[in-house]
Amino acid sequence: MTGRWANTLMNAVADRVWPRVCAVKECSRPSDRPGRHLCSACFAGLPFHGAEGCCSVCGIAIPSTVHHGFVCEVCAKTKPPYEFARSAVVYEPPVDQLVNDFKFRHATWLAEDLADLLEGAVRAKFDFSSIDAVVPVPLSRERLRERGYNQSALLARSLGRRINRRVDERSFRRIRDTEHQSRLSGEERSKNLSGAFKATDARYVRGRTVLLVDDVMTSGNTFAHCARALLEGGAARVWCASVARRLREG
Ligand SMILES: [Zn+2]
Ligand SMILES: [Zn+2]
């Protein structure tokens, strides 16, 4: 009895740590990509940002053909402090499920699959050899303690290793805890983030080209507030990359 119980427990632990089937809920295929948890069919079928037009600043997809330097209405009005932002995939099924599992359900084993997406976007859309530091969007100390990990830091570490760039998790901090952004309106989000970030060690920021990394970009408010703080800390320029892009509400 004890042996059977131990066996069941071991299997449950193994399944939790090394899921043997694809991480997409509706798919029951084995994960055939070595060291990854998404099968090749699901990975290839993700809603990639394709060759369609996009805003040259925030990267939001534009359904019609647009010229190279097109700037969307929101960016024309708000003038984001970052040079530009790009994302790999659209935040729609199954990306929403994967990101939520990764972020809120401790599915940290998905870091490499999601970093595959991030790396693809960075290699295709950025002059990545000019990047001096890869910096994750930081969590507050309270949130980090609550969650146990910063999902953006896991992505930044993997990306930095792959493109051979320094990852900096020390010189840029969230100095004030903020409400969960998803519960707030656009204007509230912006107010909520004001003064939340700070470049705490200017030596590693001054004059640098910084690539900010996050899991999801929605309005771009978080990137904008981080970029502003990094520029105030002396960064030369800030670029932003996220795994997924959630379309603006409304
Ligand atoms: Zn699959
Ligand atoms: Zn834009």
Side-chain angles (χ1 to χ4, degrees), residues 81-190:
Y82 52 78
E83 236 169 61
F84 56 90
R86 295 291 184 270
S87 311
V89 289
V90 181
Y91 188 82
E92 60 182 42
V95 174
D96 52 354
Q97 175 234 309
L98 296 169
V99 168
N100 279 310
D101 287 351
F102 177 57
K103 191 168 177 170
F104 300 116
R105 297 193 192 94
H106 296 270
T108 50
W109 58 77
L110 286 172
E112 295 303 313
D113 290 84
L114 297 177
D116 287 342
L117 298 171
L118 196 60
E119 181 190 4
V122 169
R123 286 190 185 276
K125 297 166 185 174
F126 292 77
D127 170 18
F128 64 88
S129 60
S130 304
I131 296 166
D132 296 308
V134 179
V135 172
V137 168
L139 285 185
S140 68
R141 226 180 291 172
E142 292 86 341
R143 192 64 50 77
L144 188 60
R145 205 176 307 133
E146 187 184 296
R147 191 174 296 167
Y149 59 99
N150 175 359
Q151 75 283 353
S152 302
L154 300 184
L155 296 169
R157 281 176 216 157
S158 179
L159 178 69
R161 206 168 49 237
R162 292 159 183 238
I163 62 170
N164 200 23
R165 300 283 102 187
R166 183 169 63 87
V167 178
D168 188 342
E169 296 180 47
R170 299 173 63 94
S171 339
F172 186 59
R173 303 271 170 96
R174 193 183 286 242
I175 52 172
R176 191 164 58 73
D177 194 19
T178 49
E179 281 285 311
H180 277 293
Q181 287 291 91
S182 51
R183 293 194 204 120
L184 305 172
S185 74
E187 204 177 316
E188 285 171 335
R189 282 178 193 216
S190 195

Side-chain angles (χ1 to χ4, degrees), residues 199-232:
T200 49
D201 194 339
R203 283 177 302 172
Y204 299 105
V205 174
R206 200 173 298 134
R208 313 285 182 177
T209 296
V210 174
L211 178 70
L212 264 172
V213 165
D214 208 356
D215 50 348
V216 181
M217 173 180 180
T218 305
S219 63
N221 255 330
T222 305
F223 275 150
H225 282 274
C226 287
R228 203 163 290 128
L230 283 162
L231 292 169
E232 277 166 13

Side-chain angles (χ1 to χ4, degrees), residues 22 24 27 29 38-39 42:
C22 177
V24 174
C27 175
R29 283 182 287 258
L38 235 72
C39 77
C42 286

